[in-house]
Amino acid sequence: MAANPTMDSVLAPSDDVVSRAIDGEIVIVPLDAGVGDADDLFTLNETGAAVWELLDGERPLADVVDEVGRRFDVPRAEVEADVLEFAADLLARGFAVEQP
Amino acid sequence: VGSELHLSGSGQAELLQAFAEKGAALRTTVHGSSMFPLVRDGDVVVIAPVGEREVTVGEVVAFRHPVRGDLVIHRAVARSADGWLMRGDACAGPDGVVGAGDLLGRITRVERRGRPVRFGDGRSGAWVAGLSRRGWLGTGPGIVTVPARGVRFVLRRLTAEAGSQGVTAPPAPEERSASLERLLLALRPGKVDRSPLADVPAAGWIEVLDLADRHGVTPALHRNLQSAGVPIPPEIRQRLRETSLAVGARNARMLGHVGRLLKDLRAAGIDVAVLKGADLVERVYADVSLRPMADVDLLVRPADLQRASALLASKGYVPAAPAPGQEHQGAIEENLHVEPVRKPGGPLVELHYAIGTPARVGGVDMEGVWTRMARGQVGGAEALVLSPEDLLLHLCIHVAIHHGFDAKLVQLLDLPVVVDRLGDGIDWGTLDRRAREWGVHRGVALTFALAGRLLGPFAPPGKAPELEAGEGDPDPVSRSERLLFQAGARGVGSANLPVLFGPGSWREKAGLVIRRLFPSREEMAFTYRVPAGSPRIVLLYPRRMLDLWRHHGGTLRAVAGGEAEARRRLSVEKERTSLVDWMNGVPGGASSGASSIGSRRPAP
């Protein structure tokens, strides 16, 4: 699995996690970590949640960057670096998978 | 993201020491059986600072365990040069010698169900200590420990009640406590004047939250308080939020597994419906963090039961072992599901083949239930769900007739939430008619009445099933409320045991034993997932005996031996059984021996 995504990479949430909005936050819950074990949850901040919701297994990261930049009014270069870093983290943790 | 704060054992001891240094007493609930019968699981104890007066042999004290370092409440049974020899009244051996520096407090009061009890205090303590030294008091394992949470929140209670010694007047057992009244007011659906909640001090909120935790309504309480803008102390808000988050995460994970299972079952061509918690969370509460789920209940047709079980097994689900100290939830035909299964990291899954109760299952038109089902989404997968009327009937049957109100408040809260959410789709006339057709009208009407009494009116006036005058029980609603809130008064887990120890004839009792040991081949086939005509069924009867013994052997031994606690539980069970019998229209109540419910497991 490529741990270093590029702007052409297409990512989708892994089948091994579920994400839900809980009390106003997006929480990512690994499925096989043990029911009732609340220690290994991951929440996303607002921008992280925006990126997560755009990882639909169809659009490349370049499109995600465009959309996030538009939504949060941030320079593209900055968004690009953040999205790549975030995507690499998601892949490394197994929360997302790269589509062929 | 934080899960709940859990203090380590040594942390508890340190906290208690810090409070002792302030000269204040703690009041908290203890768990364990090592001081049985004088101090029991669920008793409330007051721990006062040791102070100037030396601990005398016979006193019950809180101390840091000499080996493990955690907080223990046991009796000082002898004095030595280095300190006191400690031992639990029901323990096989002593804990060891504890020096003055590790004494954290003395127990000055023990309350059970709101009333103070003698616990071998005063002069009798020395006598008890003498018996204990000689090992004459029993040989139960275990220790009485103060739960981390209890200590954690006692800290706050102490701050708010400094000077009052931390002791509050216990509520009269027959009346609702102030905490319960507050909780019910906060949970009422819709626009309710919640201004009486504005002045509740932190200590009061802690009691409300403890009660809410026990009854599975903390997330709903959180949501209601938030939306009503009730001012609450920040530490209480934090605890509410942590609980909601933990419930949400746990549910999300369970629902993720449900989604996988639904897809697999569907791919195998098996019709499956989602019952209770998972359906309620997705369709009714529509918020993953609002309602705790205990397990996953799936309904398949009897003809698919074996294939569905095999599919679960192929996905790594294996028969679930009972939790330590919990009654085995094995294959028992009364629960209308096969032996629960679990896989590592996955939820407990129960495959049901019918809804209703054993006595009434013949009355439930299961094909009709299947025909009326709607399509829904559970855990991201398509699923069948009960029609609104069948959903309400099933919830009522489950809490009232199946569990005899050995249940949690959240199971009653489900009713107003369902009515609010699915209200337009509910045909009240059909609901009432079907309740009569299934033979569950009393149970359904009683559940609606209790939910209305506790949480305020929620059904359109005159529409919900109503109890009819002259039905024989003077006040079933009050009885059901008592059974719901009987703190720590879990029954014996079987409605048949009261019959066995009741005044009925030996012929009746023998008949009951034989019926329980040798159910019909058909029931055995359902219970143990073998084909109806299989010759293996005969071989399964010994296992059936073993299962029954595993479920009830301990209680049987205790009741036969006359243990006070077992007898008390038996009397609660009698009360429960007689109410269930009334709901089922069985004449004469529990003592007639014609009990219509069978083994009962603890409510989820």
Side-chain angles (χ1 to χ4, degrees):
Chain A
M1 168 123 3
N4 290 313
T6 67
M7 280 294 104
D8 295 328
S9 301
V10 177
L11 269 62
S14 159
D15 286 343
D16 296 330
V17 298
V18 289
S19 66
R20 294 272 190 159
I22 301 176
D23 204 24
E25 287 181 55
I26 297 288
V27 179
I28 299 179
V29 185
L31 273 185
D32 291 317
V35 170
D37 183 0
D39 292 335
D40 47 8
L41 314 177
F42 297 81
T43 58
L44 301 175
N45 62 12
E46 197 185 352
T47 45
V51 173
W52 177 257
E53 281 162 6
L54 292 168
L55 300 181
D56 56 3
E58 286 176 10
R59 66 184 96 197
L61 288 183
D63 290 2
V64 174
V65 168
D66 288 343
E67 177 62 31
V68 172
R70 220 178 3 256
R71 219 183 276 179
F72 292 93
D73 196 19
V74 185
R76 194 178 194 287
E78 207 173 300
V79 179
E80 192 172 314
D82 285 350
V83 165
L84 282 177
E85 191 186 334
F86 180 56
D89 193 22
L90 291 174
L91 289 170
R93 290 181 191 277
F95 292 173
V97 289
E98 198 165 345
Q99 301 297 96
Chain B
V1 176
S3 56
E4 271 183 332
L5 174 67
H6 287 289
L7 295 174
S8 65
S10 57
Q12 297 174 34
E14 254 113 50
L15 271 175
L16 185 52
Q17 192 159 32
F19 304 152
E21 280 162 14
K22 282 185 172 177
L26 308 179
R27 183 169 179 276
T28 190
T29 306
V30 293
H31 294 287
S33 58
S34 65
M35 291 292 286
F36 190 86
L38 298 173
V39 184
R40 299 181 190 174
D41 190 65
D43 282 358
V44 172
V45 301
V46 174
I47 310 172
V50 176
E52 297 294 311
R53 184 173 68 77
E54 190 175 89
V55 165
T56 54
V57 167
E59 280 197 88
V60 179
V61 289
F63 57 92
R64 204 190 306 272
H65 193 276
V67 180
R68 300 187 307 268
D70 58 349
L71 176 61
V72 174
I73 295 174
H74 279 166
R75 194 179 299 276
V77 296
R79 186 78 167 95
S80 78
D82 301 322
W84 292 264
L85 183 70
M86 301 297 183
R87 181 172 184 160
D89 290 350
C91 286
D95 306 292
V97 173
V98 172
D102 286 323
L103 282 181
L104 299 170
R106 59 176 99 226
I107 311 306
T108 57
R109 182 181 169 98
V110 177
E111 294 166 17
R112 192 167 304 140
R113 295 190 296 283
R115 296 177 190 276
V117 294
R118 299 298 300 267
F119 56 101
D121 46 334
R123 294 177 66 181
S124 66
W127 183 71
V128 175
L131 295 179
S132 178
R133 272 200 304 276
R134 294 174 182 84
W136 290 348
L137 287 181
T139 54
I143 48 168
V144 172
T145 57
V146 179
R149 167 176 288 188
V151 172
R152 175 189 174 197
F153 294 109
V154 164
L155 169 63
R156 294 179 183 146
R157 182 182 307 174
L158 199 74
T159 320
E161 293 185 358
S164 72
Q165 293 289 298
V167 182
T168 49
E174 294 302 316
E175 292 169 12
R176 282 186 199 158
S177 65
S179 309
L180 179 56
E181 290 287 4
R182 286 166 177 163
L183 179 62
L184 294 175
L185 176 63
L187 287 175
R188 280 183 176 233
K191 287 203 180 299
V192 176
D193 175 20
R194 294 192 173 85
S195 56
L197 299 172
D199 300 327
V200 178
W205 278 117
I206 287 162
E207 290 186 5
V208 173
L209 260 63
D210 285 345
L211 198 56
D213 282 350
R214 268 211 303 286
H215 281 279
V217 291
T218 306
L221 174 70
H222 182 204
R223 199 246 341 237
N224 275 16
L225 292 175
Q226 263 185 331
S227 61
V230 175
I232 42 177
E235 70 269 28
I236 300 295
R237 195 177 313 124
Q238 177 63 15
R239 184 174 155 191
L240 285 165
R241 193 182 133 71
E242 281 175 8
T243 304
S244 298
L245 213 53
V247 166
R250 188 170 188 274
N251 284 354
R253 185 171 287 152
M254 279 199 184
L255 291 168
H257 285 281
V258 176
R260 284 178 173 179
L261 277 178
L262 291 173
K263 286 175 189 160
D264 292 336
L265 287 162
R266 201 175 146 78
I270 299 171
D271 280 344
V272 55
V274 180
L275 303 175
K276 297 189 286 194
D279 175 31
L280 290 166
V281 168
E282 292 280 38
R283 175 165 57 143
V284 176
Y285 285 82
D287 177 331
V288 74
S289 65
L290 270 182
R291 191 213 189 265
M293 287 164 58
D295 53 17
V296 173
D297 297 281
L298 302 178
L299 177 74
V300 297
R301 293 176 207 271
D304 289 331
L305 195 57
Q306 250 190 299
R307 276 203 307 143
S309 286
L311 190 142
L312 260 65
S314 76
K315 298 292 170 192
Y317 285 82
V318 295
Q326 201 185 4
E327 193 188 343
H328 190 268
Q329 300 189 2
I332 33 184
E333 72 278 9
E334 291 81 358
N335 287 332
L336 305 178
H337 59 72
V338 296
E339 197 162 18
V341 291
R342 179 195 287 287
K343 77 170 177 180
L348 190 79
V349 177
E350 289 179 352
L351 276 182
H352 297 249
Y353 49 83
I355 62 170
T357 71
R360 298 290 157 192
V361 65
V364 175
D365 156 33
M366 283 308 298
E367 261 323 299
V369 169
W370 280 102
T371 313
R372 291 187 290 270
M373 280 182 194
R375 294 206 171 272
Q377 285 276 322
V378 178
E382 199 174 301
L384 291 167
V385 291
L386 298 181
S387 75
E389 297 84 13
D390 291 350
L391 172 65
L392 283 168
L393 290 173
H394 183 222
L395 295 175
C396 293
I397 291 170
H398 185 69
V399 69
I401 303 175
H402 192 176
H403 283 292
F405 297 99
D406 182 4
K408 294 181 176 178
L409 184 54
V410 70
Q411 291 169 279
L412 288 160
L413 180 64
D414 289 341
L415 264 58
V417 182
V418 168
V419 170
D420 179 55
R421 188 83 189 172
L422 308 177
D424 294 342
I426 299 170
D427 183 331
W428 291 97
T430 301
L431 178 80
D432 195 87
R433 180 175 48 75
R434 200 167 295 149
R436 290 176 201 281
E437 283 169 6
W438 289 4
V440 295
H441 190 267
R442 278 187 189 175
V444 172
L446 178 53
T447 315
F448 269 89
L450 179 60
R453 177 197 274 202
L454 296 174
L455 299 162
F458 59 92
K463 296 280 193 182
E466 283 178 6
L467 291 165
E468 283 154 13
E471 286 198 294
D473 193 294
D475 193 0
V477 189
S478 297
R479 287 175 76 194
S480 60
E481 182 179 337
R482 271 202 304 278
L483 287 168
L484 183 70
F485 294 112
Q486 287 260 12
R490 280 252 179 265
V492 290
S494 165
N496 289 311
L497 291 180
V499 177
L500 220 48
F501 289 91
S505 75
W506 283 106
R507 178 190 291 259
E508 276 175 336
K509 291 176 184 177
L512 171 69
V513 170
I514 290 168
R515 279 198 305 280
R516 295 281 292 143
L517 283 176
F518 302 103
S520 71
R521 293 172 67 95
E522 206 177 14
E523 280 178 25
M524 289 290 286
F526 272 146
T527 307
Y528 292 103
R529 290 169 284 173
V530 292
S534 167
R536 277 183 56 209
I537 290 174
V538 179
L539 302 175
L540 286 167
Y541 280 98
R543 175 169 167 199
R544 162 83 188 164
M545 288 183 202
L546 193 66
D547 278 348
L548 280 180
W549 183 251
R550 275 197 302 181
H551 303 155
H552 306 301
T555 311
L556 267 175
R557 280 196 304 273
V559 175
E563 250 179 53
E565 178 62 17
R567 292 220 169 255
R568 187 181 70 80
R569 287 164 63 208
L570 188 63
S571 89
V572 171
E573 197 65 32
K574 275 187 182 168
E575 167 80 9
R576 212 182 284 293
T577 305
S578 95
L579 187 64
V580 174
D581 280 347
W582 171 81
M583 286 186 264
N584 281 338
V586 175
S591 58
S592 75
S595 173
S596 55
I597 56 171
S599 296
R600 195 185 298 122
R601 62 196 167 86

